[in-house]
């Protein structure tokens, strides 16, 4: 029996705008195991960030969680708390935020306040969730900053965000996120806004911290390449739906969904230097006017009108599912030698 | 920080000097020297001016000497003795008239700013956090109403309300029995009971604008990721809002402290006349009408200096509150 930490069941999040309803998250289900890393991948605009916020019940009007469950198992044998059913401003949700599930964002520049010191911002959740004195909280902050590899932590505490580099800011955010020993760290594109070297360092750091702190990570990215370095399991999202769910090896070596395959072909690889990178043809459709039937069909090379009207979320093997009506034909087609 | 403050102080000193030159030019503008008009004024009222006194004044202001010497003597008298010369209209020293009115002007100004902030900031924050809600629309409507009603009309209405509903003596800042009385707790309370009318009137026209500004600033800040971070930390919603985006959205407000005072003095002259307020505004109008140049020059000078000091204060406040400013 896998030890489940978080179980999302058929989650729907809509934005009710005057121009229409945006179904940003449209029936997503997945599980995160305690201490493991789940990668969420998909092109920009497919609902990854909205889903991350929904897990902390932080979706704000005009958006709302319309249905589904977010079951959080604080201890292996404790009854679950359904975060989706709690009031957005309730004390129960606020205790879970940062204390149990912490989050870091894509923009390390703007996710820190421009007018408060690092110290002020770091001490705040420590005092709130761990009930430490100001001095004890400060000492804890210093330890964490040193742990994420930042030199002169005492001095760093007196700094403001504009005095730090992009990599330093993201390290500060990571230190801050780990300050209350969360059981789950949601990282929403934490390496998108930093350069490649910094990206590698931050991924390294996160892996090291996971070994040490033992938290599970939900790692969100639009770049499948990054997933290979950190995830155990992967959810591939397209237009608010999950299109493929599998462990990381399967996703990279035996993907079933045409969208996953296309994403794989668009990863830059050193052994393919001379070939031109493929990009997925077409654009992500307007979220207000989703395609009928299979949402990926306007961009899919295997599309057959009648067959693809209502693709099932089909089980490929025990822990591998894909939302495609033609999984088996595609397998055969791919195994045939092509000229 | 110290370097920053010193630099600002130097800039302020230079600005004040430039203002003094302009004020002096204003005094010099009318044809002839002012003693001739002073003398003419007094003659007209049938008074005789002793020749010695005229001579003393001529010496005192350096009349007939080069303009630079005149300027020097004028500034020296102000700096060393607080002597701004005499009002030509009344013959009273300008400084006496100024000291009579300056504190009340500042009082009305500051209390109006306070009123505006206390009203505009919470409403702006509420409107932004409840965008397009019923109350947001109501506040917007009331704000524009406040903007559209002329001040003097509002002044008349409020005076009537104060008189008919509260039986208050209207006009001025004191009831008649306290006008000449020495300062006491009772006089102070009487002052406060009169202060609210100009405070509300001056405030109303301003508040609408500031609510819009605050609302817009807040809407910009509310969607910033650092607000999300605060929320994700598990803080209460009001704490998230007031600690983070409000703090940032307030910065532009602080820079308005500087020009609030002259704006109030200049902007509400009519109100002040209607309300018979003993502030500088009506005095300036009368001085200009009567071509009382010492008086006018001195008021322009004082108001400008107040502006410079206000700006200095808001610059320093801003630098303390917003760490990004210290960079430059
Ligand atoms: N505050 C909002 N108001 C309206 N629509 C929104 C809002 N936030 C997100 N959306 C919509 O939800 C969809 C998913 O957005 P998002 O989760 O940010 O995508 P991703 O993080 O995968 O790039 C997008 O179509 C976006 O337009
Ligand atoms: Mg996103």
């Amino acid at each position: 029996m896998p030890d489940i930490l978080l179980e999302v069941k058929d989650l729907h999040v809509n934005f009710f705008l005057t121009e229409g309803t945006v179904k940003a998250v449209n029936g997503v289900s997945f599980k995160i195991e305690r201490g493991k890393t789940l990668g969420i991948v998909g092109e920009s605009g497919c609902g990854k960030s909205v889903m991350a916020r929904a897990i902390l019940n932080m979706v704000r009007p005009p958006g709302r969680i319309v249905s589904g469950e977010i079951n959080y198992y604080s201890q292996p044998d404790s009854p679950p708390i359904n975060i989706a059913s709690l009031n957005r401003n309730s004390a129960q949700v606020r205790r879970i935020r940062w204390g149990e599930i912490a989050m870091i964002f894509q923009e390390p520049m703007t996710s820190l306040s421009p007018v408060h010191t690092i110290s002020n911002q770091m001490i705040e959740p420590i005092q709130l969730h761990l009930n430490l004195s100001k001095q004890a909280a400060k000492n804890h902050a210093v330890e964490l900053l040193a742990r994420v590899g930042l030199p002169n932590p005492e001095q760093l505490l007196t700094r403001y965000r504009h005095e730090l580099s992009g990599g330093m800011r993201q390290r500060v955010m990571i230190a801050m996120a780990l300050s209350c020993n969360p059981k789950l760290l949601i990282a929403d594109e934490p390496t998108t806004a930093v350069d490649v070297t910094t990206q590698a360092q931050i991924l390294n750091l996160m892996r090291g911290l996971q070994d040490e702190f033992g938290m599970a990570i939900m790692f969100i990215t639009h770049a499948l390449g990054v997933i290979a370095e950190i995830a155990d399991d992967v959810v591939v999202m397209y237009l608010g739906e999950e299109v493929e769910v599998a462990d990381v090896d399967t996703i990279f070596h035996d993907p079933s969904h045409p969208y996953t395959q296309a994403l794989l072909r668009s990863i830059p690889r050193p052994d393919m230097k001379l070939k031109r990178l493929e990009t997925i043809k077409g654009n992500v459709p307007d979220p207000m006017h989703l395609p009928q039937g299979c949402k990926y069909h306007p961009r899919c090379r295997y599309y057959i009108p009648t067959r693809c009207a209502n693709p099932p979320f089909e089980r490929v093997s025990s822990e591998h599912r894909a939302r495609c009506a033609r999984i088996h034909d595609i397998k055969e087609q791919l195994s045939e030698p092509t000229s | 920080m110290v370097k920053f403050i010193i630099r600002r102080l130097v800039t302020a000193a230079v600005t004040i000097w430039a203002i003094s030159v302009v004020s002096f030019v204003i005094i010099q503008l009318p044809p002839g020297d002012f003693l001739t008009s002073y003398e003419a004024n007094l003659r007209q009222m049938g008074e005789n001016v002793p020749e010695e006194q005229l001579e003393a004044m001529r010496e005192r202001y350096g009349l007939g000497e080069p303009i630079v010497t005149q300027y020097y003597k004028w500034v020296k008298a102000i700096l060393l003795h607080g002597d701004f010369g005499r009002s030509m209209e009344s013959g009273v020293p300008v400084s006496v008239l100024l000291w009579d009115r300056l504190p009340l002007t500042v009082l009305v100004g500051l209390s109006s700013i306070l009123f505006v902030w206390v009203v505009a900031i919470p409403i702006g924050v509420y409107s932004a956090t409840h965008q397009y809600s019923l109350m947001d629309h109501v506040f917007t409507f009331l704000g524009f109403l406040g903007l559209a009603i002329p001040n003097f009309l509002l002044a008349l209405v409020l005076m009537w309300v104060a008189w008919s509903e509260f039986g208050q003596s209207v006009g001025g800042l004191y009831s008649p029995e306290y006008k000449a009385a020495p300062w006491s707790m009772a006089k102070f309370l009487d002052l406060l009971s009169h202060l609210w009318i100009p405070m509300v009137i001056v405030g109303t026209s301003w508040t609408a604008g500031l609510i819009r500004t605050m609302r817009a600033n807040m809407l910009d800040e509310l969607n910033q990721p650092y607000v999300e971070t605060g929320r994700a930390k598990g803080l209460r919603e009001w704490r998230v809002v007031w600690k983070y985006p409000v703090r940032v959205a307030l910065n532009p407000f602080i820079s308005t402290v500087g020009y609030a005072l002259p704006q109030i003095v200049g902007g509400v002259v009519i109100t002040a006349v209607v309300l018979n307020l003993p502030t500088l505004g009506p005095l300036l109008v009368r001085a200009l009408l009567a071509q009382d140049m010492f008086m006018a020059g001195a008021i322009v000078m004082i108001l400008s200096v107040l502006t410079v000091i206000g700006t200095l204060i808001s610059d320093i406040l801003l630098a303390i509150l917003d760490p990004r400013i210290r960079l430059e």
Side-chain angles (χ1 to χ4, degrees):
Chain A
M1 236 349 239
D3 181 6
I4 302 300
L5 175 68
L6 186 84
E7 177 188 38
V8 173
K9 266 193 194 164
D10 198 25
L11 183 67
H12 289 258
V13 182
N14 290 0
F15 285 90
F16 300 95
L17 311 176
T18 39
E19 312 90 78
T21 301
V22 176
K23 297 185 173 175
V25 177
N26 199 1
V28 172
S29 308
F30 59 82
K31 293 172 184 166
I32 302 179
E33 281 179 54
R34 211 171 291 276
K36 291 284 178 61
T37 301
L38 176 73
I40 309 267
V41 67
E43 280 166 295
S44 139
C46 70
K48 306 183 297 291
S49 298
V50 171
M51 191 176 69
R53 279 159 186 74
I55 290 175
L56 287 180
N57 205 330
M58 278 183 16
V59 180
R60 300 176 56 71
R64 187 159 56 80
I65 299 178
V66 283
S67 65
E69 293 175 21
I70 299 167
N71 292 321
Y72 175 70
Y73 298 79
S74 183
Q75 301 300 328
D77 42 11
S78 65
I81 304 170
N82 180 1
I83 298 174
S85 71
L86 299 176
N87 180 306
R88 179 152 61 79
N89 296 317
S90 64
Q92 229 179 338
V93 162
R94 283 189 275 110
R95 249 197 316 275
I96 291 176
R97 290 181 190 157
W98 222 260
E100 304 269 340
I101 304 177
M103 184 156 166
I104 53 180
F105 301 92
Q106 174 170 349
E107 284 293 333
M109 172 70 190
T110 47
S111 32
L112 292 165
S113 159
V115 295
H116 295 91
T117 57
I118 301 300
S119 169
N120 182 322
Q121 297 175 72
M122 277 201 76
I123 285 177
E124 185 176 51
I126 299 177
Q127 285 196 293
L128 185 68
H129 294 286
L130 302 185
N131 284 322
L132 293 183
S133 72
K134 194 158 187 175
Q135 191 53 49
K138 203 166 211 159
N139 294 341
H140 188 39
V142 168
E143 272 167 39
L144 286 159
L145 290 176
R147 177 61 195 85
V148 298
L150 287 164
N152 294 328
E154 277 98 356
Q155 208 211 347
L156 187 68
L157 281 180
T158 64
R159 295 292 173 94
Y160 292 90
R161 75 169 193 200
H162 63 259
E163 299 172 301
L164 313 181
S165 71
M168 287 167 89
R169 289 180 197 130
Q170 201 55 295
R171 280 169 198 265
V172 168
M173 278 307 293
I174 292 174
M176 204 189 287
L178 294 181
S179 61
C180 304
N181 298 313
K183 301 199 174 79
L184 173 63
L185 173 65
I186 301 179
D188 188 358
E189 312 227 18
T191 57
T192 304
V194 295
D195 61 78
V196 186
T197 326
T198 315
Q199 168 173 330
Q201 288 169 356
I202 287 191
L203 287 177
N204 243 328
L205 175 67
M206 289 183 71
R207 275 194 300 258
L209 290 169
Q210 187 172 31
D211 291 342
E212 185 178 331
F213 288 74
M215 75 283 185
I217 298 179
M218 179 169 144
F219 195 99
I220 298 175
T221 176
H222 66 271
L224 196 49
V226 179
I227 290 283
E229 302 191 33
I230 195 156
D232 298 306
D233 296 295
V234 182
V235 171
V236 181
M237 283 182 71
Y238 188 75
L239 288 180
E241 291 181 342
E242 60 210 313
V243 293
E244 185 155 9
V245 178
D247 64 86
V248 68
D249 284 334
T250 310
I251 288 290
F252 277 86
H253 297 116
D254 188 20
S256 289
H257 197 283
Y259 179 60
T260 314
Q261 294 166 1
L263 280 180
L264 270 174
R265 283 193 299 271
S266 64
I267 301 179
R269 281 211 303 242
D271 52 318
M272 301 195 338
K273 242 175 220 141
L274 295 178
K275 273 203 220 162
R276 276 191 58 199
L277 271 181
E278 246 183 85
T279 49
I280 307 178
K281 68 170 180 177
N283 292 319
V284 181
D286 174 7
M288 212 91 71
H289 305 98
L290 294 178
Q292 295 290 314
C294 171
K295 306 242 176 337
Y296 185 59
H297 84 251
R299 303 168 77 184
C300 184
R301 55 165 86 170
Y302 304 107
Y303 174 60
I304 299 176
T306 47
R307 286 280 313 271
C308 297
N310 193 10
F313 198 35
E314 198 165 347
R315 194 178 290 275
V316 184
S317 61
S318 66
E319 297 297 325
H320 181 191
R321 288 162 153 249
R323 193 182 299 279
C324 178
R326 301 197 58 207
I327 294 176
H328 304 292
D329 326 358
I330 294 170
K331 279 260 150 64
E332 279 159 30
Q333 222 167 317
L334 282 180
S335 53
E336 280 167 21
T338 45
S339 53
Chain B
M1 194 66 190
V2 175
K3 241 169 88 185
F4 170 85
I5 293 178
I6 290 176
R7 214 168 51 218
R8 287 297 143 108
L9 280 173
V10 170
T11 326
V14 171
T15 318
I16 290 178
W17 170 77
I19 291 166
S20 75
V21 171
V22 173
S23 309
F24 184 72
V25 169
I26 292 177
I27 294 172
Q28 293 292 323
L29 270 183
D33 69 44
F34 59 83
L35 265 195
T36 22
S37 52
Y38 176 63
E39 204 185 336
N41 261 347
L42 290 184
R43 287 253 159 75
Q44 222 172 5
M45 292 189 265
E47 285 179 43
N48 240 331
V49 199
E51 194 53 39
E52 309 88 78
Q53 191 192 334
L54 282 181
E55 197 46 52
M57 286 178 78
R58 204 159 273 134
E59 165 61 21
R60 153 79 181 69
Y61 297 120
L63 294 181
E65 290 175 51
I67 194 129
V68 178
T69 316
Q70 291 189 34
Y71 171 74
Y72 172 74
K73 289 199 165 176
W74 182 67
V75 169
K76 195 170 124 189
I78 294 175
L79 286 183
L80 294 186
H81 312 291
D83 178 3
F84 285 87
R86 269 168 196 278
S87 159
M88 282 174 264
E89 197 193 4
S90 56
V92 182
V94 167
S95 51
V96 172
L97 292 173
L98 280 182
W99 288 128
D100 197 27
R101 299 202 162 206
L102 190 60
L104 288 175
T105 307
V106 173
L107 182 68
V108 172
L110 288 182
S111 58
S112 303
I113 295 178
L114 206 67
F115 170 81
V116 168
W117 282 37
V118 166
V119 173
I121 292 173
I123 293 183
V125 170
Y126 180 92
S127 281
T129 49
H130 298 76
Q131 197 186 4
Y132 304 134
S133 68
L134 177 68
M135 284 316 280
D136 181 23
H137 291 300
V138 169
F139 283 133
T140 305
F141 175 74
L142 288 180
F144 283 123
L145 209 62
L147 206 58
I149 297 177
N151 277 345
F152 71 89
L153 189 64
L154 194 60
L156 291 173
V157 171
L158 284 187
M159 279 162 83
W160 181 77
V161 169
W163 174 77
S164 66
E165 296 296 316
F166 303 113
Q168 220 176 36
S169 71
V170 293
L173 283 177
Y174 308 107
S175 306
E177 63 268 33
Y178 289 112
K179 215 157 211 162
W183 276 105
S184 65
M185 200 58 203
K187 180 169 178 174
F188 181 66
L189 291 178
D190 182 60
L191 172 65
L192 287 187
S193 73
H194 282 77
L195 198 58
W196 71 272
I197 297 183
M199 197 168 93
V200 169
I201 293 166
V202 176
T204 309
S205 52
W206 251 30
T207 307
L210 282 189
I211 289 177
R212 297 319 286 173
T213 314
M214 190 66 197
R215 184 177 179 275
N217 289 350
M218 277 299 286
L219 286 176
D220 282 347
E221 296 302 327
L222 273 176
N223 291 321
Q224 293 284 326
Y226 68 84
V227 183
E228 289 266 275
T229 306
R231 207 171 272 134
K233 280 177 182 172
L235 301 175
R236 284 169 195 279
E237 185 61 23
W238 64 263
R239 180 128 178 81
V240 173
V241 169
W242 284 90
K243 177 168 178 183
Y244 293 107
V246 170
R247 180 57 206 286
V248 179
L250 272 184
N251 285 344
F253 270 66
I254 296 183
S255 43
T256 61
V257 178
Y259 50 84
L261 214 52
Q263 207 177 340
I264 284 173
V265 172
V268 296
V269 171
I270 298 177
T271 313
V273 171
V274 171
L275 286 177
N276 190 21
L277 294 184
T279 55
L280 284 177
L283 202 60
L284 176 59
V285 173
R286 218 172 57 217
L288 289 173
L289 288 177
Q291 285 214 347
D292 191 345
M293 283 323 176
F294 264 119
M295 194 75 229
I299 295 177
V300 168
M301 172 98 184
I302 290 279
L303 286 183
S304 314
V305 169
L306 283 179
T307 314
V308 173
I309 293 173
T311 313
L312 188 68
I313 292 173
S314 34
D315 278 358
I316 292 174
L317 265 183
L318 210 54
I320 291 171
L321 290 179
D322 191 341
R324 291 167 293 185
I325 306 250
R326 279 173 240 161
L327 266 189
E328 41 124 0

